[in-house]
Amino acid sequence: MGTHVIKMPDIGEGIAQVELVEWFVKVGDTVTEDQVVADVMTDKATVEIPSPVSGKVLALGGQPGEVMAVGSELIRIEVEGTGNLQESTSKAAEPTPAPAAEPTVGAGLPREEASKPTTPVPSTHQPAAIVPREANERPLASPAVRKRALDAGIELRYVHGSGPAGRILHEDLDAFLTQPTLSSQSAPGGYAKRSDSEQIPVIGLRRKIAQRMQDAKRRVAHFSYVEEIDVTALEELRLHLNKKWGDSRGKLTLLPFLVRAMVVALREFPQINATYDDEAQVITRHGAVHVGIATQGDNGLMVPVLRHAEAGSLWSNAGEIVRLANAARGNKASREELSGSTITLTSLGALGGIVSTPVVNTPEVAIVGVNRMVERPMVINGQIVIRKMMNLSSSFDHRVVDGMDAALFIQAIRGLLEQPASLFVE
């Protein structure tokens, strides 16, 4: 038997170090060739690291959240044959095996928790049972499971976990909730006093988001501008197009119309479709409109890029927006799909609120934010009528964009959306 060492690969783009986000294996596991063993994160994307060999995991080179240099030892695997590590050097350089980590994106186990022995994965789902864990013991569960339990007033330390290493799954909550008599007798109710707390390491995508937001607020002279838009005619057009061509070309949301309005308005305001290198003190105005589409996933905010929006039709842009959003939410977006935007569009849909103050996605100089659509009484020609209204809450980098230009840009978008036929007049 020999030892094969997998080193942190050179992911390209001059990246010298990456963050270890998640392990998919633990010491003692058997892996097969091409099996993904870990996720690592660069400044732009999460990258899967596959194993080039089959064998048994001997040691892990780091913990989730650690920043590792390219070329450093990631994992050791025992293989048939000689491997790529000589026996004489492997004994001298062999690292201490790393404890197993909870396989949850963006949330690794603390070292003291990870060192506890894990339980085997059950072959079938076990029935719900009250599990008398210690009050300060943190059961394994994903953020979604924790939120659901919190909303339901369930303390996870009383729930049996049937997943790997005793992780609590949604199925375990379902089983727990089907035994109200047992649960109510043994576990505290939703009004019980609580003294527990939870520490969540800021790693992976959440760390990158925190760093980028902090950097943007520190470096950019933000200012926001809010305007309301009557989208009654736009909604009528959208519904008409969906009724006529939705089955053959796909359904249209408001986003491709907003993208089209931005593209047309930017022809008059090229200074807003720009990036600013504040270290070199250089503004680059872009002819191409690469729109970043802010997308909320289970692990945090990502901004996949709709490239050359100026050349796309409503339906081609709509299809690409859907594809990019699905790739981002599924953590499958490539580095190229997450970089290179020149302006960003952000929307929370029905949760958009009345007003928001989005943060500029540096090095861009503008972000257009969409608030929710509501029906309101409006006065038109002296008559009170019901109209569909929507606010745009947009932010700009005041070092590059003057307030007058920002206001005129948003007013141009307003005019295009309120008279939607003008979106397509060349």
Side-chain angles (χ1 to χ4, degrees):
M1 303 295 287
T3 301
H4 186 94
V5 173
I6 302 175
K7 295 185 177 180
M8 187 68 72
D10 184 354
I11 300 174
E13 300 184 6
I15 294 173
Q17 58 186 19
V18 297
E19 180 182 345
L20 177 60
V21 175
E22 180 180 8
W23 284 112
F24 297 108
V25 297
K26 60 182 181 296
V27 173
D29 281 356
T30 299
V31 299
T32 58
E33 185 177 351
D34 294 329
Q35 177 181 339
V36 175
V37 297
D39 274 353
V40 300
M41 175 168 283
T42 70
D43 287 338
K44 297 179 180 179
T46 299
V47 179
E48 296 179 338
I49 305 298
S51 172
V53 297
S54 299
K56 179 181 179 181
V57 178
L58 296 176
L60 306 179
Q63 287 291 312
E66 290 186 14
V67 176
M68 303 181 65
V70 170
S72 61
E73 185 170 316
L74 179 65
I75 186 173
R76 288 193 179 199
I77 300 175
E78 184 181 60
V79 296
E80 297 286 346
T82 58
N84 67 353
L85 185 67
Q86 297 297 322
E87 183 67 22
S88 59
T89 60
S90 66
K91 289 183 179 180
E94 184 171 359
T96 302
E102 177 185 358
T104 301
V105 176
L109 287 178
R111 294 181 183 272
E112 61 270 17
E113 260 189 73
S115 62
K116 296 179 182 178
T118 59
T119 57
V121 180
S123 57
T124 59
H125 187 82
Q126 298 183 11
I130 298 300
V131 183
R133 296 185 179 93
E134 296 294 330
N136 60 352
E137 182 179 352
R138 180 175 181 261
L140 304 185
S142 69
V145 169
R146 293 185 185 280
K147 183 179 186 303
R148 182 183 169 195
L150 180 62
D151 292 342
I154 299 173
E155 289 199 36
L156 287 179
R157 68 189 183 100
Y158 291 97
V159 181
H160 170 79
S162 64
R167 172 192 269 184
I168 298 171
L169 309 176
H170 283 286
E171 292 86 346
D172 300 318
L173 292 183
D174 293 336
F176 186 86
L177 290 169
T178 60
Q179 301 186 14
T181 302
L182 181 61
S183 302
S184 61
Q185 291 177 352
S186 305
Y191 292 97
K193 290 183 178 179
R194 298 182 59 171
S195 59
D196 58 307
S197 62
E198 179 181 7
Q199 292 185 333
I200 302 174
V202 180
I203 64 174
L205 180 60
R206 179 51 57 189
R207 177 187 288 177
K208 296 299 180 186
I209 293 172
Q211 291 172 344
R212 285 187 62 81
M213 293 298 101
Q214 180 178 348
D215 185 62
K217 293 297 288 186
R218 179 177 60 87
R219 302 176 71 170
V220 174
H222 280 83
F223 77 97
S224 296
Y225 180 84
V226 181
E227 178 60 287
E228 65 176 3
I229 300 174
D230 185 338
V231 292
T232 306
L234 180 65
E235 267 295 273
E236 290 175 353
L237 174 62
R238 186 182 71 85
L239 294 174
H240 170 74
L241 294 176
N242 282 342
K243 182 178 180 180
K244 187 170 184 178
W245 285 302
D247 292 337
S248 59
R249 300 186 184 183
K251 298 291 185 179
L252 295 171
T253 67
L254 277 178
L255 290 184
F257 292 95
L258 287 162
V259 168
R260 178 65 184 174
M262 291 167 61
V263 165
V264 176
L266 286 171
R267 297 172 184 171
E268 187 179 352
F269 299 94
Q271 69 271 35
I272 292 176
N273 188 45
T275 52
Y276 180 39
D277 185 339
D278 53 3
E279 294 184 357
Q281 298 290 294
V282 173
I283 300 170
T284 302
R285 293 184 178 180
H286 302 276
V289 182
H290 300 319
V291 182
I293 307 294
T295 303
Q296 184 67 41
D298 291 339
N299 306 313
L301 182 69
M302 290 188 285
V303 187
V305 181
L306 172 64
R307 296 190 179 280
H308 291 289
E310 77 281 1
S313 68
L314 278 179
W315 280 277
S316 63
N317 283 342
E320 183 66 359
I321 289 171
V322 171
R323 187 192 70 79
L324 289 168
N326 289 336
R329 293 191 182 104
N331 203 30
K332 301 298 182 182
S334 66
R335 294 192 303 276
E336 291 75 17
E337 291 172 330
L338 293 170
S339 61
S341 55
T342 59
I343 189 170
T344 292
L345 174 62
T346 179
S347 171
L348 288 175
L351 299 176
I354 299 174
V355 174
S356 56
T357 55
V359 177
V360 172
N361 184 27
T362 56
E364 301 163 27
V365 299
I367 180 171
V368 176
V370 183
N371 300 115
R372 72 172 180 265
M373 185 190 308
V374 295
E375 288 189 333
R376 292 213 313 267
M378 303 293 293
V379 178
I380 299 179
N381 297 325
Q383 300 294 318
I384 297 177
V385 294
I386 302 300
R387 307 292 288 180
K388 292 182 178 179
M389 306 298 296
M390 181 182 74
N391 284 359
L392 289 186
S393 298
S394 305
S395 296
F396 303 87
D397 186 342
H398 218 331
R399 299 172 301 173
V400 178
V401 181
D402 293 335
M404 179 65 74
D405 289 338
L408 290 173
F409 171 64
I410 296 301
Q411 291 299 328
I413 291 178
R414 175 189 177 184
L416 291 163
L417 294 178
E418 291 190 340
Q419 300 292 333
S422 61
L423 289 170
F424 312 102
V425 176
E426 297 295 339

PDB file of all heavy atoms in Angstrom, residues 93-126:
ATOM      1  N   ALA A  93       6.799  13.585   7.308  1.00  0.00           N
ATOM      2  CA  ALA A  93       5.986  14.779   7.041  1.00  0.00           C
ATOM      3  C   ALA A  93       4.506  14.578   7.274  1.00  0.00           C
ATOM      4  O   ALA A  93       3.713  15.460   7.011  1.00  0.00           O
ATOM      5  CB  ALA A  93       6.201  15.212   5.574  1.00  0.00           C
ATOM      6  N   GLU A  94       4.132  13.391   7.772  1.00  0.00           N
ATOM      7  CA  GLU A  94       2.711  13.084   7.892  1.00  0.00           C
ATOM      8  C   GLU A  94       2.026  14.023   8.885  1.00  0.00           C
ATOM      9  O   GLU A  94       2.467  14.171  10.009  1.00  0.00           O
ATOM     10  CB  GLU A  94       2.533  11.644   8.336  1.00  0.00           C
ATOM     11  CG  GLU A  94       1.079  11.234   8.384  1.00  0.00           C
ATOM     12  CD  GLU A  94       0.915   9.748   8.613  1.00  0.00           C
ATOM     13  OE1 GLU A  94       1.922   9.054   8.704  1.00  0.00           O
ATOM     14  OE2 GLU A  94      -0.238   9.316   8.717  1.00  0.00           O
ATOM     15  N   PRO A  95       0.952  14.700   8.450  1.00  0.00           N
ATOM     16  CA  PRO A  95       0.264  15.625   9.359  1.00  0.00           C
ATOM     17  C   PRO A  95      -0.622  14.876  10.330  1.00  0.00           C
ATOM     18  O   PRO A  95      -0.956  13.722  10.137  1.00  0.00           O
ATOM     19  CB  PRO A  95      -0.590  16.475   8.396  1.00  0.00           C
ATOM     20  CG  PRO A  95      -0.900  15.537   7.275  1.00  0.00           C
ATOM     21  CD  PRO A  95       0.338  14.662   7.122  1.00  0.00           C
ATOM     22  N   THR A  96      -0.957  15.571  11.384  1.00  0.00           N
ATOM     23  CA  THR A  96      -1.919  14.997  12.321  1.00  0.00           C
ATOM     24  C   THR A  96      -3.272  14.922  11.654  1.00  0.00           C
ATOM     25  O   THR A  96      -3.748  15.917  11.095  1.00  0.00           O
ATOM     26  CB  THR A  96      -2.024  15.882  13.576  1.00  0.00           C
ATOM     27  OG1 THR A  96      -0.730  15.978  14.156  1.00  0.00           O
ATOM     28  CG2 THR A  96      -3.006  15.278  14.573  1.00  0.00           C
ATOM     29  N   PRO A  97      -3.906  13.741  11.656  1.00  0.00           N
ATOM     30  CA  PRO A  97      -5.207  13.639  10.980  1.00  0.00           C
ATOM     31  C   PRO A  97      -6.188  14.662  11.533  1.00  0.00           C
ATOM     32  O   PRO A  97      -6.301  14.834  12.742  1.00  0.00           O
ATOM     33  CB  PRO A  97      -5.663  12.202  11.295  1.00  0.00           C
ATOM     34  CG  PRO A  97      -4.388  11.470  11.586  1.00  0.00           C
ATOM     35  CD  PRO A  97      -3.487  12.468  12.247  1.00  0.00           C
ATOM     36  N   ALA A  98      -6.857  15.352  10.601  1.00  0.00           N
ATOM     37  CA  ALA A  98      -7.829  16.362  11.015  1.00  0.00           C
ATOM     38  C   ALA A  98      -9.122  15.690  11.420  1.00  0.00           C
ATOM     39  O   ALA A  98      -9.504  14.684  10.850  1.00  0.00           O
ATOM     40  CB  ALA A  98      -8.097  17.340   9.857  1.00  0.00           C
ATOM     41  N   PRO A  99      -9.797  16.211  12.426  1.00  0.00           N
ATOM     42  CA  PRO A  99     -11.073  15.632  12.824  1.00  0.00           C
ATOM     43  C   PRO A  99     -12.116  15.807  11.742  1.00  0.00           C
ATOM     44  O   PRO A  99     -12.025  16.700  10.922  1.00  0.00           O
ATOM     45  CB  PRO A  99     -11.451  16.431  14.081  1.00  0.00           C
ATOM     46  CG  PRO A  99     -10.723  17.721  13.932  1.00  0.00           C
ATOM     47  CD  PRO A  99      -9.435  17.389  13.238  1.00  0.00           C
ATOM     48  N   ALA A 100     -13.103  14.938  11.790  1.00  0.00           N
ATOM     49  CA  ALA A 100     -14.161  15.011  10.793  1.00  0.00           C
ATOM     50  C   ALA A 100     -14.938  16.294  10.958  1.00  0.00           C
ATOM     51  O   ALA A 100     -15.141  16.783  12.055  1.00  0.00           O
ATOM     52  CB  ALA A 100     -15.106  13.811  10.950  1.00  0.00           C
ATOM     53  N   ALA A 101     -15.383  16.850   9.818  1.00  0.00           N
ATOM     54  CA  ALA A 101     -16.132  18.100   9.846  1.00  0.00           C
ATOM     55  C   ALA A 101     -17.531  17.876   9.332  1.00  0.00           C
ATOM     56  O   ALA A 101     -17.768  17.036   8.478  1.00  0.00           O
ATOM     57  CB  ALA A 101     -15.431  19.164   8.974  1.00  0.00           C
ATOM     58  N   GLU A 102     -18.454  18.641   9.869  1.00  0.00           N
ATOM     59  CA  GLU A 102     -19.845  18.538   9.432  1.00  0.00           C
ATOM     60  C   GLU A 102     -19.948  18.978   7.978  1.00  0.00           C
ATOM     61  O   GLU A 102     -19.523  20.071   7.619  1.00  0.00           O
ATOM     62  CB  GLU A 102     -20.715  19.460  10.288  1.00  0.00           C
ATOM     63  CG  GLU A 102     -22.170  19.467   9.845  1.00  0.00           C
ATOM     64  CD  GLU A 102     -22.974  20.469  10.619  1.00  0.00           C
ATOM     65  OE1 GLU A 102     -22.412  21.110  11.513  1.00  0.00           O
ATOM     66  OE2 GLU A 102     -24.171  20.602  10.330  1.00  0.00           O
ATOM     67  N   PRO A 103     -20.504  18.136   7.089  1.00  0.00           N
ATOM     68  CA  PRO A 103     -20.570  18.485   5.680  1.00  0.00           C
ATOM     69  C   PRO A 103     -21.696  19.455   5.378  1.00  0.00           C
ATOM     70  O   PRO A 103     -22.682  19.118   4.766  1.00  0.00           O
ATOM     71  CB  PRO A 103     -20.819  17.127   5.005  1.00  0.00           C
ATOM     72  CG  PRO A 103     -21.568  16.348   6.029  1.00  0.00           C
ATOM     73  CD  PRO A 103     -21.027  16.803   7.362  1.00  0.00           C
ATOM     74  N   THR A 104     -21.546  20.693   5.841  1.00  0.00           N
ATOM     75  CA  THR A 104     -22.552  21.720   5.611  1.00  0.00           C
ATOM     76  C   THR A 104     -21.861  22.924   5.014  1.00  0.00           C
ATOM     77  O   THR A 104     -20.903  23.431   5.586  1.00  0.00           O
ATOM     78  CB  THR A 104     -23.237  22.133   6.934  1.00  0.00           C
ATOM     79  OG1 THR A 104     -23.831  20.995   7.518  1.00  0.00           O
ATOM     80  CG2 THR A 104     -24.284  23.198   6.674  1.00  0.00           C
ATOM     81  N   VAL A 105     -22.319  23.397   3.849  1.00  0.00           N
ATOM     82  CA  VAL A 105     -21.682  24.519   3.197  1.00  0.00           C
ATOM     83  C   VAL A 105     -21.721  25.735   4.106  1.00  0.00           C
ATOM     84  O   VAL A 105     -22.764  26.117   4.612  1.00  0.00           O
ATOM     85  CB  VAL A 105     -22.415  24.836   1.871  1.00  0.00           C
ATOM     86  CG1 VAL A 105     -21.819  26.071   1.233  1.00  0.00           C
ATOM     87  CG2 VAL A 105     -22.315  23.638   0.926  1.00  0.00           C
ATOM     88  N   GLY A 106     -20.536  26.341   4.304  1.00  0.00           N
ATOM     89  CA  GLY A 106     -20.469  27.580   5.059  1.00  0.00           C
ATOM     90  C   GLY A 106     -20.598  27.413   6.553  1.00  0.00           C
ATOM     91  O   GLY A 106     -20.738  28.383   7.269  1.00  0.00           O
ATOM     92  N   ALA A 107     -20.569  26.196   7.107  1.00  0.00           N
ATOM     93  CA  ALA A 107     -20.715  26.044   8.554  1.00  0.00           C
ATOM     94  C   ALA A 107     -19.964  24.812   9.012  1.00  0.00           C
ATOM     95  O   ALA A 107     -20.518  23.731   9.130  1.00  0.00           O
ATOM     96  CB  ALA A 107     -22.182  25.931   8.952  1.00  0.00           C
ATOM     97  N   GLY A 108     -18.647  24.948   9.254  1.00  0.00           N
ATOM     98  CA  GLY A 108     -17.858  23.821   9.729  1.00  0.00           C
ATOM     99  C   GLY A 108     -17.988  23.663  11.223  1.00  0.00           C
ATOM    100  O   GLY A 108     -18.383  24.579  11.943  1.00  0.00           O
ATOM    101  N   LEU A 109     -17.627  22.488  11.732  1.00  0.00           N
ATOM    102  CA  LEU A 109     -17.698  22.243  13.170  1.00  0.00           C
ATOM    103  C   LEU A 109     -16.521  22.870  13.880  1.00  0.00           C
ATOM    104  O   LEU A 109     -15.415  22.906  13.364  1.00  0.00           O
ATOM    105  CB  LEU A 109     -17.663  20.730  13.428  1.00  0.00           C
ATOM    106  CG  LEU A 109     -18.926  19.938  13.078  1.00  0.00           C
ATOM    107  CD1 LEU A 109     -18.653  18.480  13.362  1.00  0.00           C
ATOM    108  CD2 LEU A 109     -20.089  20.415  13.892  1.00  0.00           C
ATOM    109  N   PRO A 110     -16.719  23.380  15.088  1.00  0.00           N
ATOM    110  CA  PRO A 110     -15.585  23.762  15.909  1.00  0.00           C
ATOM    111  C   PRO A 110     -14.717  22.532  16.167  1.00  0.00           C
ATOM    112  O   PRO A 110     -15.188  21.398  16.137  1.00  0.00           O
ATOM    113  CB  PRO A 110     -16.236  24.267  17.209  1.00  0.00           C
ATOM    114  CG  PRO A 110     -17.635  24.612  16.827  1.00  0.00           C
ATOM    115  CD  PRO A 110     -17.995  23.657  15.737  1.00  0.00           C
ATOM    116  N   ARG A 111     -13.445  22.736  16.437  1.00  0.00           N
ATOM    117  CA  ARG A 111     -12.527  21.615  16.588  1.00  0.00           C
ATOM    118  C   ARG A 111     -12.943  20.674  17.703  1.00  0.00           C
ATOM    119  O   ARG A 111     -12.849  19.459  17.583  1.00  0.00           O
ATOM    120  CB  ARG A 111     -11.107  22.127  16.848  1.00  0.00           C
ATOM    121  CG  ARG A 111     -10.518  22.873  15.658  1.00  0.00           C
ATOM    122  CD  ARG A 111      -9.108  23.344  15.955  1.00  0.00           C
ATOM    123  NE  ARG A 111      -8.575  24.106  14.843  1.00  0.00           N
ATOM    124  CZ  ARG A 111      -7.933  23.584  13.811  1.00  0.00           C
ATOM    125  NH1 ARG A 111      -7.783  22.279  13.755  1.00  0.00           N
ATOM    126  NH2 ARG A 111      -7.473  24.326  12.835  1.00  0.00           N
ATOM    127  N   GLU A 112     -13.402  21.228  18.835  1.00  0.00           N
ATOM    128  CA  GLU A 112     -13.748  20.345  19.945  1.00  0.00           C
ATOM    129  C   GLU A 112     -14.954  19.485  19.622  1.00  0.00           C
ATOM    130  O   GLU A 112     -15.083  18.360  20.079  1.00  0.00           O
ATOM    131  CB  GLU A 112     -13.998  21.157  21.224  1.00  0.00           C
ATOM    132  CG  GLU A 112     -15.159  22.158  21.113  1.00  0.00           C
ATOM    133  CD  GLU A 112     -14.687  23.493  20.615  1.00  0.00           C
ATOM    134  OE1 GLU A 112     -13.572  23.556  20.051  1.00  0.00           O
ATOM    135  OE2 GLU A 112     -15.412  24.495  20.791  1.00  0.00           O
ATOM    136  N   GLU A 113     -15.879  20.031  18.755  1.00  0.00           N
ATOM    137  CA  GLU A 113     -17.024  19.233  18.373  1.00  0.00           C
ATOM    138  C   GLU A 113     -16.645  18.220  17.321  1.00  0.00           C
ATOM    139  O   GLU A 113     -17.105  17.089  17.328  1.00  0.00           O
ATOM    140  CB  GLU A 113     -18.112  20.153  17.814  1.00  0.00           C
ATOM    141  CG  GLU A 113     -19.200  20.460  18.799  1.00  0.00           C
ATOM    142  CD  GLU A 113     -20.345  21.187  18.119  1.00  0.00           C
ATOM    143  OE1 GLU A 113     -21.076  20.578  17.370  1.00  0.00           O
ATOM    144  OE2 GLU A 113     -20.460  22.384  18.380  1.00  0.00           O
ATOM    145  N   ALA A 114     -15.781  18.652  16.376  1.00  0.00           N
ATOM    146  CA  ALA A 114     -15.422  17.777  15.277  1.00  0.00           C
ATOM    147  C   ALA A 114     -14.637  16.573  15.744  1.00  0.00           C
ATOM    148  O   ALA A 114     -14.584  15.557  15.074  1.00  0.00           O
ATOM    149  CB  ALA A 114     -14.608  18.549  14.235  1.00  0.00           C
ATOM    150  N   SER A 115     -13.990  16.656  16.906  1.00  0.00           N
ATOM    151  CA  SER A 115     -13.174  15.557  17.378  1.00  0.00           C
ATOM    152  C   SER A 115     -13.997  14.448  18.011  1.00  0.00           C
ATOM    153  O   SER A 115     -13.477  13.384  18.300  1.00  0.00           O
ATOM    154  CB  SER A 115     -12.152  16.082  18.399  1.00  0.00           C
ATOM    155  OG  SER A 115     -12.824  16.630  19.517  1.00  0.00           O
ATOM    156  N   LYS A 116     -15.280  14.682  18.237  1.00  0.00           N
ATOM    157  CA  LYS A 116     -16.107  13.652  18.829  1.00  0.00           C
ATOM    158  C   LYS A 116     -16.336  12.537  17.821  1.00  0.00           C
ATOM    159  O   LYS A 116     -16.463  12.786  16.630  1.00  0.00           O
ATOM    160  CB  LYS A 116     -17.461  14.243  19.255  1.00  0.00           C
ATOM    161  CG  LYS A 116     -17.338  15.296  20.349  1.00  0.00           C
ATOM    162  CD  LYS A 116     -18.702  15.835  20.696  1.00  0.00           C
ATOM    163  CE  LYS A 116     -18.598  16.922  21.764  1.00  0.00           C
ATOM    164  NZ  LYS A 116     -19.906  17.488  22.086  1.00  0.00           N
ATOM    165  N   PRO A 117     -16.399  11.286  18.270  1.00  0.00           N
ATOM    166  CA  PRO A 117     -16.645  10.203  17.335  1.00  0.00           C
ATOM    167  C   PRO A 117     -18.017  10.343  16.701  1.00  0.00           C
ATOM    168  O   PRO A 117     -18.965  10.797  17.318  1.00  0.00           O
ATOM    169  CB  PRO A 117     -16.574   8.949  18.219  1.00  0.00           C
ATOM    170  CG  PRO A 117     -16.892   9.442  19.602  1.00  0.00           C
ATOM    171  CD  PRO A 117     -16.302  10.816  19.670  1.00  0.00           C
ATOM    172  N   THR A 118     -18.077   9.971  15.419  1.00  0.00           N
ATOM    173  CA  THR A 118     -19.335  10.075  14.697  1.00  0.00           C
ATOM    174  C   THR A 118     -20.070   8.752  14.731  1.00  0.00           C
ATOM    175  O   THR A 118     -19.477   7.698  14.931  1.00  0.00           O
ATOM    176  CB  THR A 118     -19.080  10.462  13.232  1.00  0.00           C
ATOM    177  OG1 THR A 118     -18.243   9.463  12.642  1.00  0.00           O
ATOM    178  CG2 THR A 118     -18.386  11.809  13.142  1.00  0.00           C
ATOM    179  N   THR A 119     -21.358   8.812  14.542  1.00  0.00           N
ATOM    180  CA  THR A 119     -22.169   7.605  14.538  1.00  0.00           C
ATOM    181  C   THR A 119     -22.401   7.162  13.107  1.00  0.00           C
ATOM    182  O   THR A 119     -22.432   7.989  12.191  1.00  0.00           O
ATOM    183  CB  THR A 119     -23.529   7.875  15.202  1.00  0.00           C
ATOM    184  OG1 THR A 119     -24.163   8.948  14.499  1.00  0.00           O
ATOM    185  CG2 THR A 119     -23.355   8.270  16.650  1.00  0.00           C
ATOM    186  N   PRO A 120     -22.527   5.872  12.858  1.00  0.00           N
ATOM    187  CA  PRO A 120     -22.746   5.402  11.493  1.00  0.00           C
ATOM    188  C   PRO A 120     -24.088   5.856  10.961  1.00  0.00           C
ATOM    189  O   PRO A 120     -25.024   6.098  11.705  1.00  0.00           O
ATOM    190  CB  PRO A 120     -22.687   3.875  11.646  1.00  0.00           C
ATOM    191  CG  PRO A 120     -23.056   3.623  13.077  1.00  0.00           C
ATOM    192  CD  PRO A 120     -22.499   4.784  13.847  1.00  0.00           C
ATOM    193  N   VAL A 121     -24.155   5.964   9.631  1.00  0.00           N
ATOM    194  CA  VAL A 121     -25.401   6.363   8.999  1.00  0.00           C
ATOM    195  C   VAL A 121     -26.385   5.203   9.053  1.00  0.00           C
ATOM    196  O   VAL A 121     -26.071   4.104   8.617  1.00  0.00           O
ATOM    197  CB  VAL A 121     -25.149   6.752   7.527  1.00  0.00           C
ATOM    198  CG1 VAL A 121     -26.443   7.159   6.859  1.00  0.00           C
ATOM    199  CG2 VAL A 121     -24.123   7.862   7.465  1.00  0.00           C
ATOM    200  N   PRO A 122     -27.567   5.382   9.588  1.00  0.00           N
ATOM    201  CA  PRO A 122     -28.519   4.282   9.650  1.00  0.00           C
ATOM    202  C   PRO A 122     -29.015   3.918   8.265  1.00  0.00           C
ATOM    203  O   PRO A 122     -29.123   4.763   7.388  1.00  0.00           O
ATOM    204  CB  PRO A 122     -29.652   4.838  10.503  1.00  0.00           C
ATOM    205  CG  PRO A 122     -29.546   6.309  10.360  1.00  0.00           C
ATOM    206  CD  PRO A 122     -28.087   6.622  10.174  1.00  0.00           C
ATOM    207  N   SER A 123     -29.322   2.658   8.075  1.00  0.00           N
ATOM    208  CA  SER A 123     -29.773   2.191   6.775  1.00  0.00           C
ATOM    209  C   SER A 123     -31.209   2.604   6.498  1.00  0.00           C
ATOM    210  O   SER A 123     -31.613   2.758   5.366  1.00  0.00           O
ATOM    211  CB  SER A 123     -29.655   0.664   6.682  1.00  0.00           C
ATOM    212  OG  SER A 123     -30.401   0.052   7.733  1.00  0.00           O
ATOM    213  N   THR A 124     -31.995   2.808   7.526  1.00  0.00           N
ATOM    214  CA  THR A 124     -33.374   3.265   7.373  1.00  0.00           C
ATOM    215  C   THR A 124     -33.625   4.405   8.333  1.00  0.00           C
ATOM    216  O   THR A 124     -32.911   4.569   9.325  1.00  0.00           O
ATOM    217  CB  THR A 124     -34.376   2.130   7.659  1.00  0.00           C
ATOM    218  OG1 THR A 124     -34.185   1.654   8.996  1.00  0.00           O
ATOM    219  CG2 THR A 124     -34.171   0.981   6.671  1.00  0.00           C
ATOM    220  N   HIS A 125     -34.645   5.190   8.037  1.00  0.00           N
ATOM    221  CA  HIS A 125     -34.961   6.338   8.894  1.00  0.00           C
ATOM    222  C   HIS A 125     -35.506   5.850  10.237  1.00  0.00           C
ATOM    223  O   HIS A 125     -36.435   5.063  10.295  1.00  0.00           O
ATOM    224  CB  HIS A 125     -36.005   7.216   8.207  1.00  0.00           C
ATOM    225  CG  HIS A 125     -36.255   8.479   8.951  1.00  0.00           C
ATOM    226  ND1 HIS A 125     -35.441   9.576   8.821  1.00  0.00           N
ATOM    227  CD2 HIS A 125     -37.214   8.799   9.851  1.00  0.00           C
ATOM    228  CE1 HIS A 125     -35.902  10.537   9.589  1.00  0.00           C
ATOM    229  NE2 HIS A 125     -36.965  10.087  10.218  1.00  0.00           N
ATOM    230  N   GLN A 126     -34.878   6.302  11.319  1.00  0.00           N
ATOM    231  CA  GLN A 126     -35.294   5.884  12.642  1.00  0.00           C
ATOM    232  C   GLN A 126     -36.464   6.716  13.121  1.00  0.00           C
ATOM    233  O   GLN A 126     -36.608   7.880  12.756  1.00  0.00           O
ATOM    234  CB  GLN A 126     -34.125   6.024  13.621  1.00  0.00           C
ATOM    235  CG  GLN A 126     -32.935   5.135  13.270  1.00  0.00           C
ATOM    236  CD  GLN A 126     -31.844   5.265  14.308  1.00  0.00           C
ATOM    237  OE1 GLN A 126     -32.064   5.844  15.360  1.00  0.00           O
ATOM    238  NE2 GLN A 126     -30.677   4.725  14.020  1.00  0.00           N
TER     239      GLN A 126
END
